[in-house]
Amino acid sequence: MGSLSRPGDGVLFLPAQRRESRLTHPGDFAGRPDLALGQGPVSSGTLYGIERAPGEIRARMLTVDRIVTLTDPPGRPRDNPPTPQDHMKETVLAGRFERCARRTAGGLVISVYARRGRC
């Protein structure tokens, strides 16, 4: 995430499987809360953890001014249909935030979103 993000930014993974980057580079995410994660990988006994309900994700997204997303690059297959959690993430980003920056790194697209008019 490097220079694109700063401590306090919320983080979202679209789809949740992109959370794998947090497993391989945990230091990059220090001070940046995962807004969708309800239960971590260790406590849930799963590789990516368990995400919160869509309404909880929406509420958490609305508590921050900036959100960093990690997504697949264009052209990669997506979950079809998207999970209710991913649909909620995309809906809130589109309705309440605007993309301020975007770059590709390590096979992922990293985007920074801010409240409308605050880039």
Side-chain angles (χ1 to χ4, degrees):
M1 291 191 310
S3 62
L4 286 181
S5 71
R6 55 185 179 222
D9 288 349
V11 176
L12 292 173
F13 300 90
L14 283 156
Q17 290 82 357
R18 295 303 70 82
R19 194 170 276 113
E20 65 203 5
S21 58
R22 187 175 196 133
L23 298 173
T24 56
H25 302 286
D28 291 349
F29 298 91
R32 294 160 181 87
D34 184 333
L35 300 173
L37 189 63
Q39 191 175 5
V42 174
S43 62
S44 69
T46 65
L47 185 57
Y48 306 112
I50 298 172
E51 292 199 328
R52 298 172 185 276
E56 292 177 75
I57 293 171
R58 179 185 186 281
R60 289 177 55 91
M61 289 175 71
L62 295 177
T63 66
V64 297
D65 290 327
R66 287 173 35 109
I67 296 175
V68 178
T69 64
L70 287 88
T71 61
D72 290 324
R76 280 197 57 193
R78 297 201 50 183
D79 291 344
N80 194 12
T83 65
Q85 287 86 346
D86 286 348
H87 180 72
M88 179 60 73
K89 295 171 199 175
E90 292 170 346
T91 299
V92 175
L93 285 171
R96 300 289 186 100
F97 293 83
E98 63 183 314
R99 188 168 50 208
C100 304
R102 177 181 167 147
R103 78 169 189 206
T104 301
L108 293 174
V109 176
I110 302 168
S111 299
V112 177
Y113 291 83
R115 298 285 185 152
R116 294 200 180 279
R118 296 188 191 169
C119 281

